[in-house]
Amino acid sequence: MADTITPRDQDYAQWYQDVIRAAKLAETSPVRGSMVLPPNGYELWQNMQGALDAMFKATGHRNAYFPLFIPKSFLAKEAEHVEGFAKECAVVTHYRLKEEDGDLIVDPDAELEEPLIVRPTSETIIWDTYSRWIQSWRDLPLKLNQWANVVRWEMRTRLFLRTAEFLWQEGHTAHATEAEAIEETRQMLDVYATFAEEWMAMPVVKGVKTASERFPGAIDTYCIEALMQDGKALQAGTSHFLGQNFAKAFECTFQNADNEQEYVWATSWGVSTRLIGALIMTHSDDKGLVLPPKLATTQVAIVPITRKNADNQATLDAAYAMRDALEASGVRVTVDDREQYRPGWKFAQYEVEGVPVRLAIGPRDVENGTVEMTRRDTSEKESVQREGIAETVGGVLESMQAALFESARQRRTDHTHVVDSYDRLKEVVEAGGFALMHWDGSAETEAEIKAETKATIRCIPFPGQFEGVDTEEAGIDPVSGEPSERRVVYAKAY
Amino acid sequence: MADTITPRDQDYAQWYQDVIRAAKLAETSPVRGSMVLPPNGYELWQNMQGALDAMFKATGHRNAYFPLFIPKSFLAKEAEHVEGFAKECAVVTHYRLKEEDGDLIVDPDAELEEPLIVRPTSETIIWDTYSRWIQSWRDLPLKLNQWANVVRWEMRTRLFLRTAEFLWQEGHTAHATEAEAIEETRQMLDVYATFAEEWMAMPVVKGVKTASERFPGAIDTYCIEALMQDGKALQAGTSHFLGQNFAKAFECTFQNADNEQEYVWATSWGVSTRLIGALIMTHSDDKGLVLPPKLATTQVAIVPITRKNADNQATLDAAYAMRDALEASGVRVTVDDREQYRPGWKFAQYEVEGVPVRLAIGPRDVENGTVEMTRRDTSEKESVQREGIAETVGGVLESMQAALFESARQRRTDHTHVVDSYDRLKEVVEAGGFALMHWDGSAETEAEIKAETKATIRCIPFPGQFEGVDTEEAGIDPVSGEPSERRVVYAKAY
Ligand SMILES: [Zn+2]
Ligand SMILES: [Zn+2]
């Protein structure tokens, strides 16, 4: 009874939608571009939040909250920023509805003097606040993070990957020196990379964006890029060095130790519910969702095989005893003892929802001291001893987490190619994958390639990330014929 | 250097604002009616969230997320609901800005076909969704909670108590029977009361609202009411039995076990950042914030008394050792070893910010094996042995939690009066307090009293909440002279 899932090789985009629907992660809503996140989807986001929040705190950040609305005049203060966001923002113009002739209408007498923008990102309102909070070098660094919803009016939306409203975190930090701000930008990129690899089991390339792909208002945008199963790249997180742009726009200065006024240096960095899309497209299969155990809300589902009109107490007791043992060792476990659903239905449900380990226990198992264990990623089934079940399951969860990462890493290696001609580039990005090719550093060449192939420079990678390839070696851009300082990563992207 | 705080008996409203500013809990923003929550305020909210979320899960609820925007037509579907919220809502009418003659303007070509309302509460969008999710009795009950920001356009705002944007949780549940929905409504009121009393150390009266104070669209609104230090009541949480109103408005039916279609029964319930206002006005004093230890982000601050140009290592080591011991026993503790601030400055800061326990350790303490412990609520200072510090501090935190509750309970008892005449009612509510008076049950009497005294019926209390008073005994309404079935709680309110 689990919904049918279109196989990946038949229609990848449809497969993605089917997995989301069948695993109950998200759905479209009557509000154009806005998602509904049912519990399976929202709780996955909460699990990600928990892990990230701890990493932010461990690196000295605190959480705060700033207004949802941004005065129109604030957006206008940083030229590139407004250029980037004005074209796709939700504008609040009125503060009241009224009834007229039985209809509910926007009250024309309740127009705001200044329209408010629903935040697409919060640099402006935050730097306006920082300009009041920061006076002296003693107030620096100021390292805050906000968990929030944001809105960017997107015309073509796709669940998790591109929606009008999405959930995210945005870090905003203020520093006394350029070097410290750049260090922070790099540190938070590392935090994201660690989260992606250790929690999401998703390998990423770290690098810096070209000028044309930068965040509006940033001096440099650092990013992590992952390769999805269809060979397309997905930008999974960005960390921006903002220089003094926002400090200048909002007159945010501080008195340094020599009693001189200086503009404050800024960073911002964010990841969003987009990560759930990345997670799905990294690990899931034609049977549905596959989740890395560290992020699964339910890591183990125990299904007692009961019979109608029979005495099932011994089976249920054995199931509860396993649950208690697993819980005691910190495993997130549930016993599904609902009577209105049959075991087969439950198995199918846990499979499609991506619960990492399924334990089925019937009367024979009760007698034999065994339980049937099924691992979601490999579908391997085996009968294991109930004695020591916590250790057995703990080991499987760990090895599944590692195997998912290893398999994604291998896939990325298989689809990363050193490319030395334009034809080969076209081949590689068309088939799907990362192409490591020389680039002359010009926006023209970048634009030309994008126009012809739809591939973009995902990032100028940090050194030493591709085994056996020295991306730092100089060469020739095969498209323009001009000299190139290093290879960059090309791919089609989400 | 701690800001000056106006004493309560001089100007209570100013005292409230001063505490918020000095403890860095919130501030007004350039966006009318919207707060900025600096870390001290936001983290307090997160601590509340953590406790409440666990209680919601323990009672079988899961978290989900629904769109920020609500189509105007949705709001119109439930008559009382639209009546209640249309007059104070933020309306999104456009989705783009553009530059014209160097100005940034709302693009008239980007008007939405249907205006969107920034959610003031989510019944409508959620019941539209539920009507798709619920088909059969097997889909019930559906018990979800949402953590979200909401917007209600308030003209006169006050930090935490009444703001245009605020943070809250809203539970929305769907049931097959009326009885089950009512049971849920009552259960969640109990959850709120438990949270208020056990976590916030704030005693509350449980009861039901009169018709005129009901949530727009509810059949019954249950509430918890607390008494602030100035004798005004504060509604701290509400739980609504919505009957089938929203199910009917959104055509949400289910097939029952007899294969008949029935409308679904609904509840909703919420608490918000308003609770932080209640917390402040329940426990704080003229020196600043006082926090119940269970909700304090930092429960213990250790201040090493170091000297310039001296060897402070032994003092610092002793401070770190205490921190480790306290951390190991689960206490949230910080060592303030910052060199740019003097100990006296730190003491003042932790006092105004409401850190429950302060530990000061100097060279003499290091020698003597002691530490100076100061408890925030009583300002009691004593020298205690460092050996066994975790147990000592643990005991103090527990006893402070209990003492705060007891003191608030005693204050409420002192200011709760059985009232049998209109004159006495005026006296009591003017002086500040709960008046237990008979009510004839008519909206007219209620309105008359409100017009003359500004006091409202805070709730029709559940039986047995006031020692020595049987609120269930019949009598005469002293204002109208009509018979009354029971006493109700009158007070002026926030
Ligand atoms: Zn390939
Ligand atoms: Zn009194």
Side-chain angles (χ1 to χ4, degrees):
Chain A
M1 56 85 320
D3 293 292
T4 329
I5 291 173
T6 307
R8 279 163 292 184
D9 61 8
Q10 188 177 315
D11 183 344
Y12 188 83
Q14 189 59 48
W15 165 81
Y16 177 72
Q17 281 186 41
D18 288 349
V19 170
I20 289 174
R21 189 197 62 249
K24 300 193 183 72
L25 294 175
E27 50 185 72
T28 55
S29 81
V31 185
R32 231 190 43 68
S34 295
M35 295 183 282
V36 168
L37 297 181
N40 285 357
Y42 187 75
E43 290 173 359
L44 189 49
W45 177 240
Q46 284 194 300
N47 300 339
M48 291 179 163
Q49 283 187 297
L52 284 164
D53 205 64
M55 295 171 90
F56 298 158
K57 291 214 166 101
T59 43
H61 302 86
R62 295 184 70 185
N63 288 322
Y65 188 77
F66 296 86
L68 171 67
F69 297 136
I70 294 178
K72 177 167 70 75
S73 58
F74 279 31
L75 210 59
K77 286 194 182 180
E78 212 288 332
E80 288 182 23
H81 198 67
V82 66
E83 178 75 19
F85 291 108
K87 279 168 287 185
E88 48 171 38
C89 59
V91 189
V92 176
T93 56
H94 292 73
Y95 58 87
R96 194 162 63 217
L97 302 173
K98 69 167 186 178
E99 281 212 39
E100 196 170 83
D101 308 329
D103 276 347
L104 188 65
I105 64 160
V106 179
D107 187 343
D109 293 335
E111 185 165 359
L112 292 172
E113 275 180 46
E114 180 178 10
L116 297 172
I117 312 308
V118 180
R119 65 181 160 219
T121 180
S122 301
E123 276 76 9
T124 59
I125 187 85
I126 288 179
W127 278 91
D128 171 76
T129 310
Y130 281 5
S131 70
R132 287 187 299 279
W133 287 357
I134 298 169
Q135 313 292 337
S136 141
W137 63 272
R138 283 187 190 78
D139 302 322
L140 297 172
L142 179 58
K143 298 176 20 173
L144 300 185
N145 173 60
Q146 167 169 276
W147 292 101
N149 52 347
V150 287
V151 172
R152 297 175 187 179
W153 209 267
E154 297 280 357
M155 282 303 163
R156 283 170 311 168
T157 61
R158 201 162 190 185
L159 290 170
F160 293 120
L161 301 179
R162 197 183 304 109
T163 52
E165 181 188 7
F166 56 93
L167 304 180
W168 81 342
Q169 62 69 217
E170 45 182 325
H172 294 273
T173 69
H175 305 267
T177 67
E178 178 174 23
E180 191 185 293
I182 291 175
E183 195 188 312
E184 165 81 9
T185 315
R186 290 286 299 253
Q187 180 191 42
M188 298 321 290
L189 191 76
D190 286 341
V191 163
Y192 289 155
T194 302
F195 174 74
E197 302 201 331
E198 293 184 4
W199 288 82
M200 297 177 63
M202 180 175 79
V204 292
V205 175
K206 294 190 268 189
V208 60
K209 288 285 182 195
T210 63
S212 63
E213 303 272 334
R214 245 176 235 151
F215 177 78
I219 306 291
D220 263 322
T221 288
Y222 296 88
C223 64
I224 52 171
E225 297 281 328
L227 192 63
M228 303 294 100
Q229 290 186 49
D230 63 345
K232 277 197 196 162
L234 188 143
Q235 174 181 301
T238 48
S239 184
H240 315 294
F241 169 58
L242 303 173
Q244 297 173 312
N245 290 348
F246 286 91
K248 284 177 180 162
F250 290 89
E251 267 307 318
C252 184
T253 59
F254 72 100
Q255 190 165 46
N256 68 20
D258 300 327
N259 287 332
E260 296 156 345
Q261 291 293 319
E262 285 188 62
Y263 284 109
V264 175
W265 296 88
T267 86
S268 70
W269 28 274
V271 296
S272 74
T273 35
R274 178 164 234 251
L275 287 180
I276 298 179
L279 195 66
I280 295 166
M281 291 201 290
T282 300
H283 303 300
S284 296
D285 61 23
D286 291 348
K287 296 175 189 167
L289 188 64
V290 175
L291 285 176
K294 285 169 86 169
L295 287 177
T297 301
T298 300
Q299 296 174 311
V300 177
I302 302 174
V303 179
I305 314 295
T306 54
R307 295 194 190 170
K308 274 201 176 167
N309 310 316
D311 181 3
N312 296 308
Q313 202 51 52
T315 306
L316 287 169
D317 286 345
Y320 299 138
M322 273 197 293
R323 176 195 58 196
D324 295 346
L326 287 164
E327 245 169 23
S329 76
V331 173
R332 298 187 290 271
V333 56
T334 187
V335 173
D336 191 344
D337 51 12
R338 292 177 295 176
E339 285 173 7
Q340 67 266 45
Y341 297 106
R342 277 161 310 146
W345 186 94
K346 295 176 184 176
F347 293 163
Q349 200 57 34
Y350 292 119
E351 181 171 71
V352 83
E353 290 184 10
V355 172
V357 169
R358 220 166 61 209
L359 296 174
I361 180 161
R364 197 163 306 168
D365 291 306
V366 174
E367 276 175 36
N368 298 345
T370 55
V371 61
E372 189 189 75
M373 177 174 72
T374 310
R375 178 175 151 164
R376 174 63 184 85
D377 59 336
T378 58
S379 296
E380 273 168 6
K381 233 178 239 173
E382 61 178 316
S383 180
V384 299
Q385 294 299 310
R386 283 212 304 291
E387 193 165 327
I389 191 67
E391 278 151 59
T392 308
V393 165
V396 169
L397 292 174
E398 262 183 51
S399 95
M400 181 170 164
Q401 181 81 30
L404 288 176
F405 179 75
E406 186 44 39
S407 139
R409 205 197 54 74
Q410 188 59 54
R411 195 181 63 241
R412 190 185 72 182
T413 304
D414 292 347
H415 293 284
T416 300
H417 304 281
V418 173
V419 165
D420 289 313
S421 76
Y422 199 5
D423 281 346
R424 180 68 181 135
L425 176 76
K426 290 174 192 168
E427 242 175 61
V428 167
V429 301
E430 193 51 43
F434 283 156
L436 305 178
M437 190 174 83
H438 274 290
W439 175 48
D440 63 14
S442 80
E444 291 70 28
T445 307
E446 189 186 9
E448 185 191 329
I449 292 174
K450 184 176 178 181
E452 190 169 345
T453 67
K454 289 187 181 141
T456 48
I457 299 179
R458 302 314 306 151
C459 67
I460 303 163
F462 294 168
Q465 295 185 88
F466 300 95
E467 218 176 316
V469 186
D470 180 5
T471 50
E472 301 304 294
E473 208 169 38
I476 300 291
D477 182 324
V479 177
S480 67
E482 298 292 320
S484 153
E485 288 177 19
R486 61 169 65 74
R487 290 175 188 274
V488 298
V489 181
Y490 280 95
K492 290 194 191 181
Y494 278 97
Chain B
M1 39 76 293
D3 292 293
T4 328
I5 293 173
T6 307
R8 278 163 293 184
D9 61 7
Q10 187 177 314
D11 183 343
Y12 188 85
Q14 189 59 49
W15 164 80
Y16 177 72
Q17 282 186 39
D18 289 348
V19 170
I20 290 173
R21 189 197 63 249
K24 301 192 182 76
L25 294 175
E27 50 186 70
T28 55
S29 80
V31 186
R32 231 191 43 68
S34 295
M35 296 184 282
V36 168
L37 297 180
N40 285 358
Y42 187 75
E43 289 173 0
L44 189 48
W45 177 240
Q46 284 195 300
N47 300 339
M48 290 179 163
Q49 283 188 297
L52 284 164
D53 204 64
M55 294 171 91
F56 298 159
K57 291 214 166 103
T59 44
H61 302 85
R62 295 184 70 186
N63 288 323
Y65 189 78
F66 295 86
L68 171 67
F69 297 137
I70 294 180
K72 176 166 71 73
S73 58
F74 279 31
L75 209 59
K77 286 195 183 181
E78 212 287 334
E80 289 183 22
H81 197 69
V82 66
E83 178 74 21
F85 291 108
K87 279 167 289 187
E88 48 170 39
C89 57
V91 189
V92 176
T93 56
H94 292 73
Y95 58 86
R96 193 165 62 217
L97 301 172
K98 70 166 185 179
E99 280 211 39
E100 194 170 85
D101 307 330
D103 277 345
L104 189 64
I105 64 160
V106 179
D107 187 341
D109 293 335
E111 185 165 1
L112 292 173
E113 275 180 45
E114 180 178 10
L116 297 172
I117 313 307
V118 181
R119 64 182 161 218
T121 180
S122 301
E123 276 77 7
T124 59
I125 187 85
I126 287 179
W127 278 90
D128 171 76
T129 309
Y130 281 7
S131 71
R132 287 187 299 278
W133 287 357
I134 298 168
Q135 313 292 336
S136 141
W137 62 274
R138 283 186 189 79
D139 302 322
L140 297 172
L142 179 57
K143 297 174 23 173
L144 300 185
N145 173 61
Q146 167 168 275
W147 291 101
N149 52 346
V150 288
V151 172
R152 297 175 187 180
W153 208 267
E154 297 281 356
M155 283 302 165
R156 284 170 312 169
T157 60
R158 201 162 190 186
L159 289 171
F160 293 120
L161 301 179
R162 199 184 300 110
T163 51
E165 181 188 7
F166 55 93
L167 304 179
W168 81 343
Q169 61 69 216
E170 46 182 323
H172 295 274
T173 69
H175 305 268
T177 67
E178 178 175 24
E180 191 186 292
I182 292 175
E183 195 188 311
E184 165 82 9
T185 315
R186 292 286 298 254
Q187 180 191 41
M188 298 322 289
L189 191 75
D190 286 341
V191 163
Y192 289 154
T194 302
F195 174 74
E197 303 201 329
E198 293 184 3
W199 288 82
M200 296 176 65
M202 179 175 80
V204 292
V205 175
K206 294 190 267 190
V208 60
K209 287 286 181 195
T210 63
S212 63
E213 303 272 335
R214 245 175 235 148
F215 176 78
I219 306 291
D220 263 322
T221 288
Y222 297 87
C223 63
I224 51 172
E225 297 280 330
L227 192 64
M228 302 294 100
Q229 290 187 51
D230 63 345
K232 277 198 197 162
L234 188 142
Q235 174 182 301
T238 48
S239 184
H240 315 294
F241 169 57
L242 303 173
Q244 297 173 312
N245 290 348
F246 286 92
K248 284 176 181 165
F250 290 90
E251 269 304 318
C252 183
T253 60
F254 72 100
Q255 190 166 47
N256 67 20
D258 301 327
N259 287 331
E260 295 155 347
Q261 291 292 319
E262 285 188 64
Y263 284 109
V264 176
W265 296 88
T267 85
S268 69
W269 27 275
V271 296
S272 73
T273 36
R274 178 163 234 249
L275 287 180
I276 298 179
L279 195 66
I280 295 166
M281 291 201 289
T282 300
H283 303 300
S284 296
D285 60 24
D286 291 348
K287 297 175 189 164
L289 188 65
V290 175
L291 284 176
K294 284 169 86 168
L295 287 176
T297 302
T298 301
Q299 297 173 310
V300 177
I302 302 173
V303 179
I305 314 294
T306 53
R307 295 192 190 170
K308 276 202 174 164
N309 310 317
D311 181 3
N312 296 307
Q313 201 52 51
T315 306
L316 288 168
D317 286 346
Y320 299 139
M322 274 197 294
R323 176 195 59 195
D324 294 346
L326 287 163
E327 245 169 24
S329 77
V331 173
R332 298 186 290 272
V333 56
T334 186
V335 173
D336 191 345
D337 52 12
R338 291 177 296 174
E339 286 173 8
Q340 67 265 46
Y341 296 106
R342 276 160 312 145
W345 186 94
K346 294 176 184 176
F347 293 163
Q349 199 57 34
Y350 292 120
E351 180 171 70
V352 83
E353 291 184 10
V355 172
V357 169
R358 221 167 60 209
L359 296 175
I361 181 160
R364 196 162 308 166
D365 291 305
V366 174
E367 276 175 34
N368 298 343
T370 55
V371 61
E372 189 188 74
M373 178 173 71
T374 309
R375 178 175 148 165
R376 174 63 185 85
D377 58 337
T378 58
S379 296
E380 273 168 5
K381 234 178 235 169
E382 62 177 317
S383 180
V384 299
Q385 294 299 312
R386 282 211 305 290
E387 191 164 330
I389 191 67
E391 276 150 61
T392 307
V393 165
V396 168
L397 293 174
E398 261 182 53
S399 95
M400 180 169 165
Q401 181 83 28
L404 289 176
F405 180 75
E406 186 44 38
S407 140
R409 206 197 54 74
Q410 187 60 54
R411 195 181 63 241
R412 190 185 72 181
T413 303
D414 292 347
H415 294 284
T416 300
H417 305 281
V418 173
V419 164
D420 289 314
S421 77
Y422 200 4
D423 281 347
R424 180 67 181 134
L425 176 76
K426 290 173 191 166
E427 244 175 61
V428 167
V429 301
E430 193 51 43
F434 283 155
L436 304 178
M437 190 174 84
H438 275 291
W439 174 50
D440 63 14
S442 79
E444 290 71 27
T445 309
E446 189 185 9
E448 186 191 329
I449 293 174
K450 185 176 177 180
E452 191 170 343
T453 68
K454 288 186 183 144
T456 47
I457 299 179
R458 301 315 306 152
C459 67
I460 302 162
F462 294 167
Q465 295 184 89
F466 300 95
E467 218 177 316
V469 187
D470 181 6
T471 50
E472 301 305 292
E473 209 170 38
I476 301 291
D477 183 324
V479 178
S480 68
E482 298 291 321
S484 153
E485 288 177 17
R486 61 169 64 76
R487 290 175 188 275
V488 299
V489 180
Y490 280 96
K492 289 194 192 180
Y494 279 97

